[in-house]
């Protein structure tokens, strides 16, 4: 069965530290990849997405992610985090095959940034 | 443009009772999805509507769950009778018209259901 793994469940950083959150998926076909973020008390919102083309995608708020097909990975990065990046981050894949149009999520990573 | 809305935001019910959750998608979005997150676990797909038709209900846990989408607008998810393991956050999402492409899903705030 298709699945998404997020390596870290909890990450604690100081402001200005660099961030990398790991995401691996298990599916051999064509995938569309997403990172969603949920700030405290807010909706899930899209941070960035990869459909095709340049495997390095830029998202909102200075985030980026790199799709490495050979490694089945889509890691999220930010060079310098801020206190306002404290949130829960979810990696998700959307299977691009026939009638499939559902998101499969990882378990989420809670990021706490200390000032 | 209004986003996806869900009602209620919280619901606390006793085991054996019935609860109905409502989702209003973004206007014009034909695709509507229900997801659920049990505490500490991943967000899991429940089902997908295209307009009023169920496209995929492979994630529905059992026949205590009934989803409807009358007239292809808002959707309801009824749990009857509720069990303790049904507790969690129920998310609704919608996406733009079309069934062949992949569109960004816009999520609602979720309904936190607690079954005691």
């Amino acid at each position: 069965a298709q699945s998404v793994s997020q390596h870290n469940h909890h990450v604690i950083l100081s402001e200005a530290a660099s961030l990398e959150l790991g995401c691996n998926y298990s599916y051999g076909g064509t995938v569309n990849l997403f990172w969603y973020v949920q700030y405290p008390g807010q909706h899930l919102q899209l941070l960035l997405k990869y459909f095709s083309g340049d495997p390095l995608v830029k998202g909102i708020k200075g985030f980026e992610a790199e799709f490495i097909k050979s490694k089945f990975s889509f890691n999220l990065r930010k060079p310098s985090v801020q206190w306002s990046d404290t949130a829960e981050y979810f990696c998700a894949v959307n299977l691009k095959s026939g009638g499939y149009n559902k998101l499969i999520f990882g378990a989420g990573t809670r990021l706490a940034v200390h000032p | 443009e209004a986003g996806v809305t869900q009602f209620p935001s919280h619901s606390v019910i006793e085991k054996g009772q019935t609860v109905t959750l409502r989702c209003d998608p973004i206007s014009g979005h034909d695709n509507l999805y229900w997801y659920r997150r049990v505490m500490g676990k991943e967000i899991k797909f429940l089902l997908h509507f295209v307009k009023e038709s169920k496209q995929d209900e492979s994630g529905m846990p059992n026949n205590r769950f009934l989803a409807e989408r009358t007239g292809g607008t808002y959707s309801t998810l009824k749990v009857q009778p509720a069990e303790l393991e049904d507790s969690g956050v129920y998310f609704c999402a919608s996406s733009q018209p079309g069934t062949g492409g992949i569109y960004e899903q816009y999520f609602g705030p979720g309904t936190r259901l607690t079954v005691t």
Side-chain angles (χ1 to χ4, degrees), chain A residues 32 34 36 38 42-46 49 51 88 90 94-108 110, chain B residues 4 31 33 35 37 40-45 48 55-56 58 91 95 98-109:
Chain A
N32 299 112
F34 303 82
Y36 280 84
Q38 187 170 28
Q42 296 189 26
H43 300 198
L44 269 167
Q45 57 184 283
L46 185 68
K49 61 190 176 189
F51 284 2
E88 190 161 18
F90 297 90
N94 185 326
L95 302 181
K96 191 176 180 180
S97 174
Y100 288 104
N101 200 25
K102 61 189 178 189
L103 292 174
I104 299 174
F105 284 89
R110 287 187 182 273
Chain B
V4 177
N31 295 283
Y33 309 83
Y35 294 86
R37 189 184 193 196
K41 301 273 183 84
E42 67 271 23
I43 300 169
K44 282 197 169 179
F45 168 83
H48 169 206
Q55 174 81 4
D56 179 357
S58 61
F91 292 102
S95 67
T99 56
I102 307 298
Y103 298 96
E104 174 185 344
Q105 294 184 24
Y106 296 85
F107 282 78

Side-chain angles (χ1 to χ4, degrees), chain B residues 55-81:
Chain B
Q55 174 81 4
D56 179 357
E57 52 183 328
S58 61
M60 294 288 264
N62 51 60
N63 59 10
R64 294 185 294 102
F65 289 75
L66 175 64
E68 294 180 321
R69 191 178 182 194
T70 307
T73 54
Y74 70 91
S75 174
T76 58
L77 180 65
K78 181 192 285 189
V79 185
Q80 179 183 30

Side-chain angles (χ1 to χ4, degrees), chain A residues 31-73:
Chain A
V31 293
N32 299 112
L33 298 154
F34 303 82
W35 275 96
Y36 280 84
V37 60
Q38 187 170 28
Y39 297 103
Q42 296 189 26
H43 300 198
L44 269 167
Q45 57 184 283
L46 185 68
L47 204 52
L48 47 77
K49 61 190 176 189
Y50 172 79
F51 284 2
S52 63
D54 188 344
L56 184 62
V57 293
K58 307 282 188 184
I60 60 172
K61 304 186 181 186
F63 286 90
E64 65 179 30
E66 184 175 14
F67 170 53
I68 302 179
K69 188 175 182 180
S70 61
K71 295 185 178 180
F72 298 88
S73 70

